[in-house]
Amino acid sequence: MKKIAALFLFTTLSLSPLSIEAQTFADQAERIDAEVYWKIRREGTERSEAMQTLHVLTDMYGPRLTGSPNFKAAADWTVKRMNAWGFKNAHLEPWDFGHPGWLNERLSAHITSPVKDALVCEALAWTPGTNGAVTGQAFQLVLPERPTKAELTAFLDGMKERVKGKIVLVGKHQIVPVTFNPQNKRREDQEARTQYDPNNPAPAVPPFAVAAPSPSPSPAASPQSSPQPPARLTPAGVAEQLDQFLVASGALVRINDAAREHGQIRAFNNRTFDTSKVVPTVVMRNEDYGRISRLLANGTPVELEFNIVNRNYPEGRTSYNVVGEIPGTDKADEVVMLGGHLDSWHAATGATDNAIGCTIMLEAARILNTLGIKPRRTIRVALWSGEEQGLLGSKAYVKEHLGTFENPKPEYSKFNGYFNIDSGTGRIRGANVFGPPETATVLRQALAPFEDLGVMGAIATTSRRTGGTDSTSFNEAGLPGIGLGQDPIEYGTHTWHTNLDTYERIVEPDVKSAAIVVAAAVYHLAMRDGMLPRFTKERMPAPPPPTPSPTPVPTPSPRG
Ligand SMILES: [Zn+2]
């Protein structure tokens, strides 16, 4: 097996670092600089600054919704921090988001009759505030399933007087069953080894393959999965008509069911990004939504009170990626990149998604810079915005700087790979790179010395389809995007896009390991004689067919 060969070679090299000349051919040994790898481990273990970086990005500036003043403050701080560490060329790169920024400043929600209690909610992003406290009777609006336009219009016409001046719960209460079989937080070594073994024909096992599907918390109010006859409205069509109806009918507030266990709330955005097109909207924890639903079903009138302060920020139409470098030497015009997305959803401080990815990449670069290594190629850190709205920041960067295989810019031919991390706090288990098998072979050998930290290999992908996370923006262009796979810990089950995504959910030893692994792999790519192998013209997969503009409401997927 190649894996064993690589390990054997590494052992040999450790004993006698100069006994084998550097090779640029795939399937031949990469010359690993064991001394630098050891220094990276020591710096990353003994003098890590990762948790301090994480603290600032989450506690100080979170949540970092794209276009919000929080995001801009986090980006500005990161530039300052890069300068303080001694990175070069640290700056913000603007791109056109096209929507105003938005921030929820305050939200209080209470049941005031038949009992007094506080309720747990998050605002839906890009919805308006209530303009002071509002009180109203609760009304539960359950739409007909998969209606035609005529059916929905007739139904809503009949509801107009009933929602006027009311606080409207949209949809039935979702029953969320008790979980008897909790997911593993770590992946078994053998499972990770199989996933990242190029000789194993079995399809890769995504980390959250067994996660229970959760109902979409988006404003869509009808089933999304089964095919619909042409006359039926799409979920987006239903949502649009419903939004117009609620505004026109004078509903005070809209409430959606979070439909998750243990008070988890995932709040995304109003799909129009236009606060004038919707009523004030919250996503309420399933337990409170259920309580109100049962009271109403029992014939008990329920009175609710909301006070929501949301604000638009017109300057948020321009968003920013954060970029900084460690300049190269004899191959300075060639670039090795690493990064993650700095933006987050707004229900929590975005620790696992993805302040921690940014922290790991900043820490990896800090380690390399602190060690005073003089990389042959330029090492560039990029932290993106707009990832949660459809990889917008990284796509803008690739378009501006690199172009595509079919329509390249001058920097395209000098690009050596982009490492991305965006799956929570777990240690790194392997890498998935866009390119021919020999690309993965290089990475596999660069990562082989870290099996003790849980890294089990690297495999290649031929897919240029975007999705999931920012590495795929590079894949789409035909460039080697490198997605790092991680242990799930609590990502899919608890923290991903939820109100529980905070500093407390970070596993410090895993973060330190990840920064060490990334620093070493980046170092190796920056130093080796040859560029990271790519597809030849003959073997380059065709670009994916053009997709409709990115949907503002994300669907559950392992990353992002
Ligand atoms: Zn993410």
Side-chain angles (χ1 to χ4, degrees):
M1 274 171 65
K2 286 175 187 170
K3 177 88 209 171
I4 291 165
L7 283 171
F8 171 75
L9 284 167
F10 173 66
T11 311
T12 311
L13 288 165
S14 312
L15 298 171
S16 175
L18 299 177
S19 61
I20 298 177
E21 289 302 307
Q23 303 281 347
T24 58
F25 302 104
D27 283 318
Q28 301 211 18
E30 293 289 306
R31 193 174 74 180
I32 301 297
D33 190 330
E35 189 184 335
V36 170
Y37 269 37
W38 178 78
K39 286 180 179 170
I40 288 170
R41 280 189 188 245
R42 190 178 58 181
E43 177 66 24
T45 305
E46 296 178 3
R47 287 179 287 276
S48 174
E49 295 186 23
M51 296 308 278
Q52 177 61 21
T53 303
L54 176 75
H55 157 64
V56 175
L57 292 180
T58 55
D59 298 332
M60 190 80 182
Y61 298 121
R64 301 167 308 281
L65 191 65
T66 300
S68 68
N70 299 26
F71 177 87
K72 181 63 164 47
D76 287 338
W77 176 83
T78 305
V79 169
K80 273 192 224 147
R81 198 59 240 165
M82 285 176 166
N83 284 326
W85 278 322
F87 296 8
K88 301 290 185 261
N89 194 24
H91 64 283
L92 300 182
E93 292 200 6
W95 59 275
D96 182 25
F97 179 42
H99 308 294
W102 177 94
L103 192 68
N104 168 244
E105 290 182 8
R106 281 165 193 257
L107 193 162
S108 72
H110 291 84
I111 181 169
T112 50
S113 176
V115 60
K116 294 192 193 319
D117 204 352
L119 304 168
V120 180
C121 305
E122 295 287 342
L124 194 73
W126 286 279
T127 59
T130 52
N131 215 357
V134 295
T135 304
Q137 293 292 314
F139 176 73
Q140 193 152 18
L141 182 70
V142 179
L143 299 180
E145 289 197 4
R146 296 197 290 154
T148 63
K149 186 160 179 60
E151 285 166 359
L152 185 60
T153 302
F155 173 82
L156 292 176
D157 282 348
M159 289 290 156
K160 210 168 166 76
E161 285 307 308
R162 299 185 70 182
V163 304
K164 188 176 181 182
K166 297 280 175 41
I167 292 173
V168 183
L169 290 81
V170 175
K172 280 185 208 158
H173 171 235
Q174 297 282 328
I175 306 298
V176 182
V178 172
T179 304
F180 286 94
N181 299 305
Q183 268 190 278
N184 287 338
K185 289 183 164 50
R186 292 221 184 271
R187 305 186 68 198
E188 297 293 338
D189 283 356
Q190 191 49 49
E191 184 193 307
R193 197 174 278 123
T194 303
Q195 181 185 350
Y196 292 107
D197 176 358
N199 299 316
N200 190 313
V205 184
F208 307 131
V210 295
S214 63
S216 168
S218 76
S222 73
Q224 301 193 6
S225 51
S226 45
Q228 299 176 7
R232 307 279 154 192
L233 283 170
T234 62
V238 171
E240 189 183 342
Q241 196 170 338
L242 177 61
D243 282 336
Q244 288 166 3
F245 164 77
L246 291 172
V247 171
S249 309
L252 294 179
V253 173
R254 170 179 176 163
I255 306 174
N256 297 335
D257 182 358
R260 297 185 62 78
E261 64 181 359
H262 303 159
Q264 287 180 25
I265 298 173
R266 287 180 178 164
F268 299 122
N269 62 287
N270 155 28
R271 65 185 68 207
T272 67
F273 293 88
D274 181 345
T275 53
S276 73
K277 291 203 158 64
V278 291
V279 298
T281 304
V282 298
V283 184
M284 181 178 279
R285 69 170 174 170
N286 180 255
E287 296 84 347
D288 287 336
Y289 198 95
R291 181 184 190 179
I292 297 167
S293 300
R294 288 186 295 273
L295 286 166
L296 292 173
N298 203 38
T300 311
V302 175
E303 187 184 72
L304 303 173
E305 180 193 287
F306 280 86
N307 192 349
I308 306 169
V309 179
N310 295 332
R311 222 176 284 287
N312 280 330
Y313 290 83
E315 63 271 31
R317 289 181 174 279
T318 300
S319 192
Y320 301 90
N321 297 321
V322 187
V323 179
E325 293 179 346
I326 304 171
T329 52
D330 66 310
K331 294 177 184 288
D333 59 338
E334 293 186 19
V335 176
V336 178
M337 285 186 74
L338 65 162
H341 69 89
L342 186 58
D343 67 302
S344 74
W345 284 109
H346 57 289
T349 56
T352 67
D353 189 17
N354 187 20
I356 201 58
C358 296
T359 296
I360 288 165
M361 296 324 208
L362 288 170
E363 174 69 4
R366 184 200 70 78
I367 290 169
L368 294 173
N369 198 60
T370 299
L371 293 179
I373 60 133
K374 298 278 174 243
R376 301 182 68 187
R377 298 183 176 84
T378 295
I379 295 170
R380 184 177 295 159
V381 186
L383 308 182
W384 317 110
S385 58
E387 193 272 355
E388 300 292 8
Q389 288 74 38
L391 318 182
L392 303 178
S394 57
K395 282 183 177 175
Y397 182 92
V398 171
K399 189 175 176 197
E400 170 76 20
H401 290 272
L402 298 162
T404 64
F405 182 78
E406 291 73 22
N407 192 11
K409 296 211 165 185
E411 289 178 59
Y412 190 92
S413 65
K414 305 287 188 181
F415 187 81
N416 272 263
Y418 164 70
F419 290 87
N420 189 79
I421 192 156
D422 186 19
S423 301
T425 189
R427 62 194 176 145
I428 293 170
R429 305 311 305 267
N432 186 308
V433 59
F434 176 81
E438 46 273 33
T439 319
T441 302
V442 171
L443 277 170
R444 196 158 48 249
Q445 293 184 38
L447 294 169
F450 296 107
E451 192 165 301
D452 66 309
L453 298 182
V455 185
M456 293 298 166
I459 51 169
T461 176
T462 58
S463 170
R464 290 178 67 177
R465 197 166 287 282
T466 57
T469 189
D470 294 297
S471 50
T472 62
S473 299
F474 292 80
N475 298 5
E476 183 185 40
L479 291 164
I482 304 163
L484 297 165
Q486 298 170 260
D487 272 339
I489 314 295
E490 300 170 329
Y491 196 55
T493 54
H494 292 75
T495 65
W496 178 60
H497 294 168
T498 76
N499 56 331
L500 307 184
D501 190 6
T502 62
Y503 181 99
E504 285 72 13
R505 306 272 55 83
I506 299 300
V507 180
E508 183 174 350
D510 283 25
V511 171
K512 286 182 173 177
S513 294
I516 289 165
V517 168
V518 171
V522 166
Y523 173 77
H524 183 75
L525 292 200
M527 298 303 282
R528 69 196 294 276
D529 284 344
M531 287 186 57
L532 192 60
R534 292 195 200 169
F535 283 116
T536 58
K537 195 170 190 301
E538 293 69 35
R539 290 166 72 195
M540 175 62 77
T547 47
S549 59
T551 168
V553 180
T555 51
S557 74
R559 294 192 188 157

